[in-house]
Amino acid sequence: MDKRPRLTMTATVLDAPDARELAAFYERLLGWSRGEDESDWVTLVGPEGGAGLSFQTEPAYVRPVWPAGPGEPQMMAHLDIKVDDLEAASAYAVSVGATVADFQPQDDVRVHLDPAGHPFCLYL
């Protein structure tokens, strides 16, 4: 008999110096809509439902380094976003505020940095 209680994953939370600013970037990038919208907490929900993205203002936020070297702030997680056209998606991401990371470990993946420095990958 399984005694595990019901657990539902609702979101991935990204810390940022400004929750609203980072949420606005992902809102433009993904086309998702806002759920909660407070000065220090914003949620985005996808059109199909499921787990969303949340953003939390963290006054002591330290921007991660990609790729991190010894003693540098490392990313704790990253987002993988599937695309149909890698070059077009990469250009769009840049047009809404992302930067292309200098280090690209794979030909069929483009690592980008959001405005708060979180790496995310566009992949085929």
Side-chain angles (χ1 to χ4, degrees):
M1 179 196 279
D2 187 3
K3 295 185 182 204
R4 180 177 46 86
R6 180 183 166 140
L7 303 169
T8 303
M9 175 75 165
T10 59
T12 296
V13 180
L14 297 177
D15 288 350
D18 184 319
R20 283 187 168 153
E21 182 181 304
L22 190 56
F25 165 76
Y26 281 101
E27 193 173 21
R28 291 188 305 271
L29 180 70
L30 300 172
W32 289 12
S33 55
R34 288 192 186 206
E36 294 179 56
D37 186 357
E38 300 173 17
S39 63
D40 61 350
W41 179 261
V42 179
T43 63
L44 295 182
V45 293
E48 293 89 31
L53 279 174
S54 297
F55 306 89
Q56 172 177 276
T57 297
E58 172 53 62
Y61 178 76
V62 176
R63 185 181 182 95
V65 176
W66 168 257
E72 294 178 319
Q74 297 186 18
M75 68 172 182
M76 298 300 289
H78 71 274
L79 303 176
D80 284 342
I81 302 169
K82 187 175 182 178
V83 300
D84 294 330
D85 182 325
L86 191 54
E87 294 309 315
S90 179
Y92 178 73
V94 169
S95 78
V96 298
T99 57
V100 178
D102 290 335
F103 177 67
Q104 297 292 326
Q106 299 165 294
D107 291 337
D108 58 347
V109 175
R110 289 295 172 277
V111 180
H112 292 74
L113 305 175
D114 70 22
H118 299 286
F120 67 92
C121 296
L122 302 178
Y123 74 96
L124 295 171

